[in-house]
Amino acid sequence: MSERLSAEIDVVNDAFTSAVKSRILGALPGLDTQTLEWLVMEHYQFSFANTGLLQAAVECTRKFAEPGVSAELQRNVEEEDGHAPMYKQGMLNIGTDMDRRTEFPATTAFLAGVADLCAPDPSRSLGALYATETAAIFEHETFFEICREISERRGHAYEGSLIKRFHDIHLEDGVEQGHKDGLAAFVDLDQSGREFPGGEAIDRERVRQGALDAIEVMRVWWDALLEKTLPRRVGAAS
């Protein structure tokens, strides 16, 4: 029996995300508050765009004969609804105004790259969204610590804060793990070579390629973020 595709993707994703997390959290005490604030502003752009990206994937994956994929992605859209405004307000409460952000080209390119993966190929879209939803766990773990550092440096209590609650929803309440697990069921549902009268089959190789493409897009983005923020260039692991 072949290894679950979700597990194969996780190995690649975990290598990338673990390297980034260890590097940025290892450098955290030595980074100035303005730099940490900048990182949060860039991450917020993904949060702000996320429901639109997910909705595009919902429409794309309606091409599948299996209706569960688009239904799961629609559930993710609904769970994420309202989270970006919460993120923005939570940071404003501790002194960071997201509206002061100026465009960073690498983030613009990153969001465009993810958008390109959300359509028109449904199998590739499924793989890409599985990879980005999985990486979201590491992102919230990382930004939980960054936001706590900013909050404490500015004399705000992190416990009980809106920004801590934002990250807790995604981590302790299991939103991101639920998204990962929900999509994994379909990532591992290989229908390659089969024909369905009601739509397309889930193609294992296209799912894998979509996931690997998404991890590469994320890796390039994080490489650019770390290059700008760390005192010397440290790239994410391949």
Side-chain angles (χ1 to χ4, degrees):
M1 182 177 179
S2 62
E3 182 181 20
R4 290 182 298 112
L5 181 55
S6 61
E8 292 182 27
I9 295 167
D10 287 351
V11 169
V12 181
N13 219 345
D14 289 348
F16 147 66
T17 58
S18 296
V20 172
K21 183 180 178 182
S22 65
R23 285 169 169 82
I24 199 163
L25 294 187
L28 188 58
L31 296 177
D32 61 55
T33 305
Q34 184 177 6
T35 295
L36 299 180
E37 182 178 64
W38 180 82
L39 277 169
V40 173
M41 287 181 175
E42 293 312 301
H43 181 245
Y44 168 74
Q45 305 312 307
F46 192 16
S47 180
F48 181 78
N50 193 34
T51 54
L53 295 168
L54 284 167
Q55 193 63 59
V58 169
E59 299 308 317
C60 177
T61 55
R62 291 192 198 281
K63 298 174 186 176
F64 282 135
E66 167 55 68
V69 180
S70 59
E72 175 61 22
L73 287 167
Q74 184 62 52
R75 183 183 74 83
N76 294 1
V77 171
E78 292 165 5
E79 283 196 344
E80 291 291 350
D81 186 42
H83 287 183
M86 184 181 185
Y87 196 176
K88 184 177 184 179
Q89 185 60 51
M91 289 306 298
L92 187 61
N93 291 352
I94 62 169
T96 295
D97 182 356
M98 299 295 197
D99 290 337
R100 292 193 294 104
R101 182 248 183 187
T102 56
E103 183 184 8
F104 181 53
T107 299
T108 303
F110 161 68
L111 294 175
V114 176
D116 286 344
L117 290 168
C118 289
D121 182 332
S123 290
R124 194 165 176 242
S125 177
L126 170 59
L129 268 294
Y130 176 74
T132 58
E133 292 285 7
T134 299
I137 298 171
F138 123 81
E139 289 180 350
H140 281 286
E141 291 171 344
T142 301
F143 282 95
F144 181 97
E145 298 300 334
I146 291 173
C147 293
R148 174 161 59 186
E149 185 76 13
I150 294 171
S151 182
E152 291 177 351
R153 288 184 187 185
R154 290 175 171 167
H156 297 281
Y158 197 54
E159 195 62 41
S161 67
L162 184 61
I163 190 58
K164 180 178 183 294
R165 180 61 189 145
F166 167 74
H167 292 299
D168 282 344
I169 286 171
H170 294 87
L171 295 172
E172 288 191 3
D173 293 6
V175 166
E176 297 303 346
Q177 187 65 50
H179 292 180
K180 178 185 188 302
D181 293 344
L183 290 175
F186 300 105
V187 167
D188 294 329
L189 184 61
D190 181 17
Q191 299 175 332
S192 305
R194 296 173 62 184
E195 293 186 6
F196 297 90
E200 296 185 26
I202 297 172
D203 187 295
R204 178 184 175 93
E205 290 308 313
R206 297 299 294 163
V207 173
R208 175 190 283 111
Q209 191 59 56
L212 296 178
D213 288 344
I215 291 169
E216 178 62 13
V217 168
M218 290 188 288
R219 186 197 65 76
V220 169
W221 181 47
W222 272 100
D223 224 21
L225 294 177
L226 295 182
E227 181 177 22
K228 186 173 175 66
T229 55
L230 296 189
R232 55 189 174 81
R233 192 186 192 287
V234 180
S238 298

